[in-house]
Amino acid sequence: MLYRQLGKSELKVSEVSLGSWLTFGVGIERDTAAQCIDRAFGQGINFIDTANVYGRGVAEEFLGETLKHRKRNSYVLATKIFFPMSDSDRGLSRAQIEKQLDASLKRLATDYIDLYQCHRYDLATPLDETMEALSYGVRSGKIRYLGFSEWSPQNIRDALAMTGVARFVSSQPQYSLLWRRPEKEVIPLSAANGISQIVWSPLGQGVLTGKYLPGVPPPADSRAASDSMGAMMSCLQTPQVVAAVDRLRPLAAEAGVSMAQFALAWVLREPNVASAIIGASRPEQVDDNAAASGLAIDRELFERAEHIVAGLSRDES
């Protein structure tokens, strides 16, 4: 496993990281989830990403129980805030940040969070209120560094223009061969200002692993076949996408890697990407995905892959 600097921070994160969206405490059994975490550490993964809204706190609670026996400085722990935790609790107001930060710390059974991320931009709260509250969390020692997820270029510029507040070190956008939107503005803007990308869905919610075949129903044990994990896959499960991804299979074979490793290596070819978040439901998936770190794949193969999916990838601003 190789490691990359996370923006202008002191954090070194593994190129492949373990996420918990739709999996921990929600989509897979606890014993299997614990095995995935053990396997991740065994593969050198040191970065664990979650959010308070995943299972309405269940994922954080699971991680708190599972990680409490490990040395706290042996891993980088990230969580997020924004989405509703109750009928009245949501957003990035000062009151919510103070309340939800303390609740996350309690569930995660830790005194501090390495990376606290704004899960989305809050149009209902002034940015200065949000940044001042987050900065207070940093000064208090409860937060080491700040990040954001899916902020627009203008949102980012507005935060960068502020003075006297803690600085963001990470951005967490969706990014893959099938979703290239961050390349236009978010990645260049971030790179120029000491902000790294931690990308989610680098495997297109599993589509880029090649497990789905043209004209064939999804495997019974796949995310697409799961009621709890497949609800957001409709745009990636079209016949056109599945057929195009199937045409990537010979490229991965030529490179001597699995389809998942090829897709992850494509994401990691971008220097501004610090880590690619995987969502494993089996320990074997962790092994396969982790092996993508450090792969040297011919750029010409990547260019051919980009051409195959060019009409399907999302690169608009």
Side-chain angles (χ1 to χ4, degrees), residues 166-277:
R167 315 306 294 179
F168 287 116
V169 302
S170 71
S171 162
Q172 187 174 135
Q174 180 176 185
Y175 185 51
S176 73
L177 261 169
L178 298 175
W179 190 276
R180 300 181 64 178
R181 181 178 297 178
E183 292 178 348
K184 187 171 184 179
E185 290 190 76
V186 170
I187 287 178
L189 178 60
S190 297
N193 289 279
I195 298 171
S196 293
Q197 309 303 310
I198 302 164
V199 303
W200 64 274
S201 202
L203 297 176
Q205 296 193 48
V207 173
L208 286 166
T209 66
K211 69 176 68 175
Y212 306 109
L213 301 174
V216 178
D221 62 348
S222 67
R223 178 174 291 185
S226 169
D227 291 336
S228 61
M229 295 189 289
M232 296 181 65
M233 292 192 64
S234 58
C235 67
L236 295 172
Q237 271 291 103
T238 66
Q240 294 84 357
V241 170
V242 173
V245 170
D246 197 54
R247 293 173 58 199
L248 301 177
R249 203 176 302 276
L251 304 184
E254 186 174 340
V257 300
S258 71
M259 291 276 284
Q261 290 165 2
F262 186 86
L264 288 167
W266 180 88
V267 165
L268 291 169
R269 90 208 183 290
E270 166 56 56
N272 189 239
V273 171
S275 189
I277 303 172

Side-chain angles (χ1 to χ4, degrees), residues 8 29 62 69 79 118 125 148 154 158 170 173 199 211 242 270 275 300 303 308 312:
K8 289 185 178 179
E29 297 295 331
F62 168 77
H69 301 299
T79 193
C118 301
T125 301
F148 56 81
Q154 189 57 53
D158 289 343
S170 71
V199 303
K211 69 176 68 175
V242 173
E270 166 56 56
S275 189
E300 190 265 340
E303 291 173 351
I308 288 172
L312 305 168

